């Protein structure tokens, strides 16, 4: 019986571990997950590692070293379905700030012996290296979405992962628009839904942790009252 | 006016809410939440937004304190009657593997009384009635909520800056589609309502309230206030058949201009009191033993909305804005026999980019006029 259960593997690349933690954070549903999948490789949860191949792999983090660029290929080879989780895995993460800077200079400032550091000049998403079946955005990913994808894969249906704006979720949960009613800068109109409009629900502007919506119109944000883009443009013009 | 109007003092508003609650209604009305007028269940009339007014402009909505204590002298917030009768999410059916049972429909809805519906909301209800109940197949979720609903309309004496109901054939006066209609006469020292019934259910509730006869002077005062509101509206649609305009404007270069400003965020469709489009989502639990199909609001600004096999039909912002406004002002007439726009102005106020449907229609009209000029 147990041997027929689908296997789940969780992999970490350059990241903060927060997205893997979202899986352990599924406290109420964790036993249900454990009852439906065999956790075969999840170092944050257990030292026990089962050999592949794996039915579902959740991949956290971005590719920043030559070793990782090789390792992700091996992960892909042993994974039937590969789902990337979080901003690092789907977009390169905060560490992608290096992409437009001098990594050698960074390393010389941070490390006592930068000569020991083998790193790439860029931080790239998993999809830049291997085929990815589904992407879950967010920093960290949304627990509900993670369970939705796992549930959908277990039963063999298409997961609901909408790519429209956060505004859809705001209006459907009856949040008051923080841009229109408060003049608060908010990236919601250009940001991908999925979080359930968390920040606007507590009267804070969206800061875009889910990344761009399907067809973001950044230029149009400049016409939005209190727009952060407008502020950026103004400062550029002043300097 | 269809029924005789009588006077109801503001002190009697709790009685109105109480009478409705005693009759088993869940009373929904305007309240203040997070800096806007939001619809919520009223435990009592004390929850109403006494003394709050609203300033609206394209892309802007601000509450302000009024000099008087009026309960309904505010512009509507982002929500409308649609939010109650055509909810953002509704379960269509659920199924259990163990028992093999399939249960259709959502739970039995409460009977709603909606207090403070505006005349534009009444017009929107008329539109939604035609959409959901006008064809061969009635839509059950809306119908179940609509059939038991009790509507208390409040006429407008102060239109918002984004209002243009008069140019859509409506007005700040409640004409039909209500059980009770009120006009608020708020002064610095007193607050009274002229109230009339529009249905037998309304007459029955009205008979239970402590009203007194209204003199012709007060009735004249109320009519004048509503008439002044009609004259105070500053926005309007072009004075020409809008379906013709939208049909003629299909290839206008103006769509590119709108698309440069449009965020395709979908806010206009969700605050529109008549936009009714939905999609479905299947939900399963982790055990795979329980499945549900849910319906949720969708929008023609969503790329997936026009997804056919192989891809989306309307990928550009141009095509999506054109679809929305062409349906709303144009092809809605062919489909449902009226305009889809009631002139409430919500899409103008709640567009984060401040796109103004009246200004866009005017721009299309100007373009058309220039095209038709002899060279």
């Amino acid at each position: 019986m147990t041997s027929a259960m689908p296997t789940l593997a969780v992999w970490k690349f350059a990241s903060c571990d927060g997205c893997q933690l979202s899986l352990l954070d599924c406290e109420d549903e964790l036993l249900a997950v454990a009852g439906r999948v065999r956790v075969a490789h999840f170092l944050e949860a257990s030292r026990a590692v089962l050999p592949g191949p794996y039915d579902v792999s959740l991949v956290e983090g971005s590719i920043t070293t030559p070793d990782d660029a090789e390792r992700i290929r091996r992960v892909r080879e042993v994974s039937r379905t590969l789902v990337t989780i979080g901003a690092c895995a789907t977009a390169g993460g905060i560490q992608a700030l290096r992409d437009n800077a001098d990594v050698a200079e960074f390393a010389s400032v941070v490390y006592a012996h930068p000569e020991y550091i083998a790193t790439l000049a860029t931080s790239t998403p998993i999809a830049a290296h291997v085929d990815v079946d589904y992407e879950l955005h967010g920093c960290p990913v949304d627990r509900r979405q993670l369970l939705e994808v796992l549930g959908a894969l277990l039963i063999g249906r298409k997961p609901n992962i909408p790519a429209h704006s956060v505004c859809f979720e705001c209006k459907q949960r009856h949040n008051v628009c923080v841009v229109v009613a408060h003049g608060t800068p908010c990236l919601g109109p250009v940001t991908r839904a999925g979080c359930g409009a968390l920040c606007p629900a507590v009267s804070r502007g969206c800061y875009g942790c889910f990344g761009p919506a399907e067809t973001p119109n950044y230029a149009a944000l400049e016409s939005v009252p209190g727009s952060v883009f407008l502020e950026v443009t103004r400062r550029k013009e002043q300097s | 006016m269809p029924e005789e109007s009588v006077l109801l003092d503001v002190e009697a508003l709790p009685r109105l809410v109480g009478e409705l609650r005693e009759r088993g209604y869940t009373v929904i009305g305007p309240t203040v939440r997070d800096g806007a007028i939001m619809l919520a269940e009223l435990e009592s009339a004390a929850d109403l937004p006494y003394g709050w007014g609203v300033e609206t402009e394209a892309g802007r909505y601000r509450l302000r304190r009024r000099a008087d204590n009026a309960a309904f002298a505010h512009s509507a917030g982002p929500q409308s009657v649609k939010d109650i009768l055509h909810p953002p999410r509704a379960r269509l059916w659920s199924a259990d593997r163990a028992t093999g049972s399939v249960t259709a429909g959502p739970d039995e809805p409460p009977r709603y009384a909606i207090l403070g519906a505006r005349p534009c909301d009444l017009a929107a209800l008329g539109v939604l009635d035609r959409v959901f109940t006008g064809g061969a197949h009635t839509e059950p979720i809306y119908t179940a909520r609509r059939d038991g609903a009790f509507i208390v309309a409040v006429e407008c004496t102060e239109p918002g800056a984004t209002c243009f109901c008069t140019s859509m054939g409506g007005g700040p006066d409640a004409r039909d589609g209500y059980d009770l209609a009120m006009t608020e006469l708020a002064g610095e020292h007193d607050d009274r309502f002229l109230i009339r019934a529009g249905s037998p259910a309304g007459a029955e509730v009205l008979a239970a309230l402590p009203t007194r006869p209204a003199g012709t002077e007060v009735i004249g005062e109320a009519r004048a206030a509503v008439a002044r509101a009609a004259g105070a509206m500053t926005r309007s649609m072009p004075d020409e058949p809008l379906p013709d305009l939208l049909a003629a404007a299909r290839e206008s270069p103006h769509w590119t201009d709108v698309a440069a400003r449009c965020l395709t965020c979908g806010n206009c469709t969700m605050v529109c009191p008549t936009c009714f489009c939905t999609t479905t989502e299947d939900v399963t639990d982790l055990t795979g033993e329980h499945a549900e199909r849910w319906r949720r609001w969708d929008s023609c600004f969503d790329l997936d909305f026009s997804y056919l096999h192989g891809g989306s039909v309307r990928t550009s912002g141009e095509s999506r804005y054109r679809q929305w406004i062409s349906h709303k002002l144009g092809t809605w007439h062919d489909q449902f026999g009226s305009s889809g726009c009631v002139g409430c102005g919500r899409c103008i106020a709640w567009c984060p980019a401040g796109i103004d449907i009246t200004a866009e229609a005017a721009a299309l009209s100007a373009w058309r006029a220039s095209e038709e000029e002899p060279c």
Side-chain angles (χ1 to χ4, degrees):
Chain A
M1 183 71 190
T2 318
S3 61
M5 280 211 291
T7 50
L8 175 72
V10 182
W11 308 93
K12 175 187 157 62
F13 289 81
S15 58
C16 78
D17 285 45
C19 289
Q20 302 182 50
L21 210 51
S22 300
L23 186 57
L24 291 176
D25 271 346
C26 299
E27 292 171 2
D28 293 339
E29 300 87 0
L30 204 53
L31 287 177
V33 173
R36 290 282 290 146
V37 297
R38 169 174 271 209
V39 179
H41 182 285
F42 186 6
L43 297 182
E44 192 162 281
S46 167
R47 275 177 297 177
V49 172
L50 299 176
Y54 309 102
D55 292 298
V56 179
S57 276
L58 301 177
V59 178
E60 175 196 271
S62 66
I63 303 300
T64 56
T65 68
D67 283 350
D68 278 355
E70 274 310 306
R71 185 160 64 97
I72 188 60
R73 292 183 194 285
R74 295 199 296 277
V75 169
R76 174 70 267 190
E77 281 167 12
V78 295
S79 307
R80 188 158 290 133
T81 301
L82 191 153
V83 183
T84 51
I85 56 171
C88 301
T90 56
I94 192 92
Q95 57 274 28
L97 285 172
R98 71 165 69 176
D99 292 2
N100 298 314
D102 184 352
V103 178
E105 192 195 335
F106 284 177
S108 72
V109 174
V110 172
Y111 298 102
H113 289 282
E115 63 274 21
Y116 294 150
I117 303 298
T119 191
L120 296 170
T122 55
S123 168
T124 42
I126 302 300
H129 298 264
V130 296
D131 288 340
V132 170
D133 297 294
Y134 296 102
E135 291 189 315
L136 282 185
H137 299 257
C139 181
V141 286
D142 180 74
R143 208 168 55 84
R144 237 174 356 96
Q145 277 205 325
L146 189 56
L147 289 169
E148 159 65 14
V149 168
L150 287 178
L153 292 177
L154 285 171
I155 202 129
R157 68 171 169 82
K158 187 180 156 216
N160 299 312
I161 322 171
H164 51 227
S165 74
V166 172
C167 302
F168 276 70
E169 294 185 322
C170 252
K171 286 291 179 288
Q172 295 190 14
R173 69 181 284 182
H174 304 302
N175 287 345
V176 173
C177 178
V178 300
V179 176
V180 170
H182 308 166
T184 302
C186 177
L187 288 173
V190 293
T191 301
R192 177 182 291 256
C195 63
L198 268 182
C199 293
V202 291
S203 294
R204 296 172 61 160
C206 167
Y207 60 92
C209 77
F210 269 59
E214 54 198 4
T215 54
N217 186 353
Y218 301 115
L221 260 196
E222 290 201 4
S223 60
V224 173
S227 161
V228 282
F229 283 81
L230 191 63
E231 187 57 30
V232 169
T233 309
R234 191 180 301 131
R235 285 184 192 176
K236 266 188 195 160
E237 282 169 1
Q238 279 172 357
S239 63
Chain B
M1 297 190 187
E3 291 276 329
E4 194 185 349
S5 295
V6 290
L7 270 178
L8 183 78
D9 288 315
V10 69
E11 290 78 19
L13 270 188
R15 282 286 298 278
L16 171 59
V17 175
E19 288 291 338
L20 292 169
R21 285 171 67 89
E22 274 172 32
R23 283 167 174 73
Y25 289 109
T26 298
V27 183
I28 305 288
T31 64
V32 168
R33 170 165 68 83
D34 298 338
I37 299 295
M38 298 298 283
L39 298 179
E41 181 174 356
L42 303 179
E43 299 286 334
S44 78
D47 298 334
L48 290 167
Y50 295 101
W52 285 104
V54 170
E55 280 165 11
T56 62
E57 227 350 290
R60 188 183 157 85
Y61 183 98
R62 291 290 187 282
L63 289 183
R64 66 171 171 83
R65 271 287 171 193
R66 294 177 56 86
D68 60 30
N69 213 31
F72 298 100
H74 52 77
S75 294
Q79 299 163 297
S80 67
V81 176
K82 176 181 88 170
D83 291 57
I84 310 299
L85 302 184
H86 179 53
R89 286 178 64 78
R91 192 175 59 227
L92 298 179
W93 53 256
S94 58
D96 282 294
R97 193 195 297 273
T99 58
S101 65
V102 176
T103 311
D107 299 330
E108 183 82 14
R111 285 165 67 229
Y112 287 110
I114 294 159
L115 175 58
R118 297 297 183 178
C120 57
D121 290 323
L122 299 180
L125 271 177
V127 174
L128 290 178
D129 285 348
R130 288 189 286 279
V131 169
F132 288 130
T133 69
H137 304 286
T138 57
E139 195 284 318
I141 297 169
Y142 176 83
T143 309
R145 289 168 174 245
R146 174 75 167 114
D147 281 349
F150 188 100
I151 309 290
V152 184
V154 178
E155 301 190 314
C156 297
T157 50
E158 287 178 34
T162 45
C163 293
F164 57 101
C165 64
T166 47
S167 80
M168 296 313 298
D173 53 318
R175 294 168 194 175
D176 50 27
Y178 57 83
D179 294 290
L180 289 172
M182 308 200 294
T183 316
E184 186 169 26
L185 297 160
E188 265 183 58
H189 307 295
D190 62 345
D191 192 2
R192 298 166 299 166
F193 295 89
L194 204 59
I195 182 167
R196 62 185 191 271
S199 74
E204 196 239 295
V205 172
L206 188 55
L209 297 176
T211 57
R212 54 198 163 89
T216 49
E217 193 182 325
V218 178
I219 292 177
E221 191 187 326
R223 281 188 179 160
V226 174
R228 273 198 305 278
M233 260 169 261
T234 51
R235 279 184 160 81
S236 64
M237 277 291 179
D239 187 16
E240 62 189 286
L242 295 176
D244 294 349
L245 172 61
L246 272 302
R250 286 194 63 76
E251 304 299 333
S252 167
H254 186 65
W255 303 119
T256 309
D257 182 87
V258 188
R261 290 172 280 131
C262 178
L263 294 154
T264 63
C265 62
N267 274 303
C268 49
T269 64
M270 284 176 285
V271 298
C272 175
T274 69
C275 271
F276 58 84
C277 287
T278 56
T279 186
T280 54
E281 285 175 355
D282 289 340
V283 179
T284 46
D285 69 354
L286 283 164
T287 64
E289 292 299 311
H290 184 76
E292 296 184 348
R293 176 161 293 178
W294 284 75
R295 184 187 77 179
R296 67 160 171 82
W297 286 354
D298 203 359
S299 165
C300 46
F301 285 90
D302 185 341
L303 204 53
D304 267 357
F305 183 81
S306 67
Y307 188 91
L308 304 177
H309 72 281
S312 292
V313 175
R314 288 186 286 270
T315 52
S316 68
E318 282 92 331
S319 63
R320 281 179 266 166
Y321 188 85
R322 184 178 69 177
Q323 162 66 24
W324 177 65
I325 193 174
S326 297
H327 188 213
K328 189 65 57 185
L329 301 178
T331 51
W332 204 292
H333 286 270
D334 306 319
Q335 197 178 3
F336 301 114
S338 74
S339 173
C341 176
V342 296
C344 72
R346 283 185 182 86
C347 62
I348 304 173
W350 295 96
C351 171
I355 294 175
D356 179 343
I357 190 172
T358 63
E360 304 314 327
L364 292 171
S365 177
W367 168 81
R368 187 190 189 192
S370 69
E371 285 289 293
E372 286 171 359
E373 264 173 26
C375 298

